[in-house]
């Protein structure tokens, strides 16, 4: 029983910290002090350490020698890598979804897309909610590809992609964010894999634009 409770606390701490990092509440490069965090959350340092170890495997935190834990900091090389991974995975997933998605999958994608557009119209300044809706839609497209291997690979970088997506939504007019996915969703639902792949790639913020955002944040 004690082991189950301990695991539950670790999972709760992991989820709490994951949310803070992905949402941007904990800044990139921010130092994490185990003792301070344990005191604030009223948890043991070992529980916090286990949570941080889990997040390190997800690529959200890193342990620096003599410096301790800190939130990851996405530099230009990281953005280049994540951009190219996202282009490769999401364009291929969209093509596969156009071929494999069931009628129910297509209905679900349409519903998610409609909710996303409504969110952007009603709350165009809610960066976190819009980033979450964006990621959720793309993840459902990956699921609609019917490839367990694709889902697994996407899942391995999912949390870093969420941080990446939050960055792509900075300093932009988000009122049209949902509508920008219309052509991709239409291509998937009409069963056109080539068009779906092209539209998925076109939907991703260009790397050069991401670099400009990164430099603005640094200044």
């Amino acid at each position: 029983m004690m082991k189950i409770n301990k695991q539950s606390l670790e999972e709760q701490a992991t989820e709490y910290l994951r949310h803070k990092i992905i949402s941007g509440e904990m800044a990139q490069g921010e130092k994490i002090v185990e003792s301070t965090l344990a005191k604030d959350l009223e948890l043991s340092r070992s529980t916090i350490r286990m949570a941080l170890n889990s997040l390190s495997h997800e690529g959200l935190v890193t342990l620096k020698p003599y410096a301790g834990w800190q939130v990851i900091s996405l530099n230009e090389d990281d953005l280049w890598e994540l951009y190219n991974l996202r282009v490769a995975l999401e364009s291929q997933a969209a093509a596969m979804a156009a071929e494999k998605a069931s009628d129910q999958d297509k209905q679900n994608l349409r519903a998610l897309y409609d909710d996303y557009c409504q969110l952007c119209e009603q709350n165009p300044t809610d960066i976190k909610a819009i980033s979450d809706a964006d990621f959720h839609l793309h993840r459902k497209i990956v699921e609609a590809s019917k490839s367990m291997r694709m889902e697994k690979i996407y899942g391995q970088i999912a949390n870093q992609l969420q941080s990446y997506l939050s960055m792509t939504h900075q300093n932009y007019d988000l009122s049209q964010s949902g509508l920008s996915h219309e052509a991709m969703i239409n291509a998937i639902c009409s069963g056109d894999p080539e068009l779906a792949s092209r539209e998925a790639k076109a939907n991703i913020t260009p790397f050069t634009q991401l670099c400009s955002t990164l430099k603005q944040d640094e200044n």
Side-chain angles (χ1 to χ4, degrees):
M1 183 66 69
M2 290 298 292
K3 184 176 181 181
I4 293 174
N5 288 338
K6 183 173 182 292
Q7 287 180 330
S8 177
L9 288 173
E10 290 168 8
E11 290 168 0
Q12 290 178 56
T14 303
E15 178 61 31
Y16 171 81
L17 292 171
R18 183 188 295 118
H19 168 76
K20 300 281 271 188
I21 293 169
I22 291 174
S23 68
E25 291 181 53
M26 294 180 73
Q28 291 190 29
E30 181 176 331
K31 186 175 181 181
I32 303 172
V33 181
E34 285 183 14
S35 57
T36 302
L37 198 55
K39 183 178 180 181
D40 290 344
L41 298 181
E42 298 183 347
L43 295 171
S44 69
R45 287 188 63 175
S46 63
T47 298
I48 295 299
R49 190 173 301 117
M50 289 297 292
L52 291 170
N53 276 319
S54 294
L55 293 174
S56 71
H57 292 305
E58 296 177 12
L60 292 180
V61 300
T62 184
L63 182 60
K64 300 271 188 178
Y66 309 110
W69 294 99
Q70 68 179 52
V71 178
I72 58 160
S73 183
L74 295 176
N75 58 33
E76 191 169 313
D77 289 338
D78 295 322
L79 288 179
W80 180 87
E81 188 174 348
L82 285 170
Y83 168 78
N84 282 285
L85 279 170
R86 191 180 175 207
V87 168
L89 292 173
E90 292 188 1
S91 61
Q92 185 60 38
M96 294 167 71
E99 294 181 326
K100 297 289 188 179
S102 65
D103 290 341
Q104 185 62 57
D105 291 327
K106 293 175 182 178
Q107 290 179 25
N108 291 341
L109 287 175
R110 289 283 188 194
L112 284 173
Y113 166 73
D114 290 340
D115 289 345
Y116 186 3
C117 291
Q118 186 176 11
L119 171 66
C120 292
E121 181 180 351
Q122 296 177 350
N123 300 288
T125 60
D126 193 339
I127 294 176
K128 182 188 180 307
I130 290 173
S131 295
D132 287 348
D134 190 349
F135 176 75
H136 191 47
L137 179 63
H138 284 285
R139 188 153 198 170
K140 285 298 179 183
I141 292 171
V142 173
E143 291 177 9
S145 74
K146 305 302 182 182
S147 169
M148 292 182 64
R149 291 180 178 86
M150 179 72 75
E151 281 191 60
K152 183 177 180 180
I153 293 170
Y154 198 79
Q156 288 172 345
I157 60 170
N159 290 315
Q160 291 184 62
L161 280 177
Q162 281 189 275
S163 295
Y164 169 99
L165 277 171
S166 294
M167 182 177 291
T168 66
H169 287 105
Q170 300 289 334
N171 306 318
Y172 298 117
D173 175 13
L174 299 181
S175 61
Q176 303 301 305
S177 179
L179 288 172
S180 69
H181 294 71
E182 181 177 17
M184 176 179 62
I185 296 300
N186 286 340
I188 292 171
C189 291
S190 65
D192 189 332
E194 291 186 8
L195 181 58
S197 178
R198 289 200 303 272
E199 292 297 342
K201 183 175 180 179
N203 181 256
I204 298 172
T205 303
F207 173 65
T208 52
Q209 195 169 341
L210 284 174
C211 288
S212 298
T213 301
L214 179 64
K215 290 173 182 176
Q216 288 175 12
D217 290 342
E218 289 173 347
N219 296 332

